[in-house]
Amino acid sequence: MTIEEYMGDVAPEQKEAFARLMQVVDENIPAGFTKEIQYGMPSYVVPKTRYPDGYHCDTSLSLPFFAIAAQKRHIAVYHMGLSANEPLLSWFQAEYPKHMTTKLNMGKGCIRFTNPKKIPYELIGELASKVTVDEWIHQYETAIKN
């Protein structure tokens, strides 16, 4: 599946919000990450050319960092670094209420938006911009060693 095919399959009521979210991440993610389909969703990864070891769960895959998925009942943003980066997580949790009136719906590294009309695009763009490829590799390797 390609990203274009994935976008074509997004539910009509989510399509505009999903496309805007992808655009915001594209505009803000640091240089060096590449976009591909991974685990069935558009993902921003550290390419194997930059990090040949790949992802420890499946070394044939590039190192995942950020992904966006259109689920049946929500749009999900996955930031793999949130659970291992306490300052980043704290920053995001503190910033969220400044951008939204709704309660933060979040798992360990998954942020869920059940209303496609209520997505804090600026905040998600800033979140996507906060970790460089080198910082992510360092954070990932530190977490794996522990």
Side-chain angles (χ1 to χ4, degrees), residues 5 14 23 25 29 38 73 91 103 116 121 125:
E5 289 169 334
Q14 295 177 328
Q23 179 182 4
V25 176
I29 198 139
Q38 198 175 75
R73 294 194 168 101
W91 168 83
K103 181 181 174 199
Y121 297 103

Side-chain angles (χ1 to χ4, degrees), residues 113-133:
F113 300 104
T114 55
N115 184 344
K117 293 182 184 346
K118 294 190 177 200
I119 296 176
Y121 297 103
E122 183 180 312
L123 179 61
I124 298 301
E126 192 172 350
L127 175 64
S129 76
K130 288 208 168 274
V131 179
T132 67
V133 168

Side-chain angles (χ1 to χ4, degrees), residues 6-21:
Y6 186 95
M7 299 280 288
D9 290 342
V10 172
E13 63 275 7
Q14 295 177 328
K15 199 172 285 281
E16 183 179 332
F18 191 87
R20 184 168 173 204
L21 199 51

Side-chain angles (χ1 to χ4, degrees), residues 15-135:
K15 199 172 285 281
E16 183 179 332
F18 191 87
R20 184 168 173 204
L21 199 51
M22 289 285 297
Q23 179 182 4
V24 164
V25 176
D26 286 346
E27 291 170 355
N28 287 281
I29 198 139
F33 290 104
T34 58
K35 190 166 48 171
E36 63 183 47
I37 293 290
Q38 198 175 75
Y39 291 105
M41 63 188 138
S43 302
Y44 298 82
V45 302
V46 180
K48 298 276 282 189
T49 54
R50 173 67 178 83
Y51 191 73
D53 290 350
Y55 187 38
H56 73 281
C57 293
D58 181 347
T59 57
S60 71
L61 295 176
S62 301
L63 179 61
F65 173 64
F66 200 99
I68 305 169
Q71 307 290 347
K72 188 173 186 174
R73 294 194 168 101
H74 62 273
I75 294 174
V77 171
Y78 297 90
H79 189 299
M80 292 11 158
L82 278 175
S83 62
N85 186 333
E86 184 58 41
L88 182 62
L89 177 60
S90 294
W91 168 83
F92 182 77
Q93 290 171 330
E95 284 297 311
Y96 186 86
K98 298 175 186 175
H99 296 261
M100 298 293 292
T101 57
T102 57
K103 181 181 174 199
L104 178 58
N105 182 349
M106 185 175 176
K108 194 170 184 176
C110 174
I111 307 158
R112 293 174 289 273
F113 300 104
T114 55
N115 184 344
K117 293 182 184 346
K118 294 190 177 200
I119 296 176
Y121 297 103
E122 183 180 312
L123 179 61
I124 298 301
E126 192 172 350
L127 175 64
S129 76
K130 288 208 168 274
V131 179
T132 67
V133 168
D134 288 337
E135 290 168 339

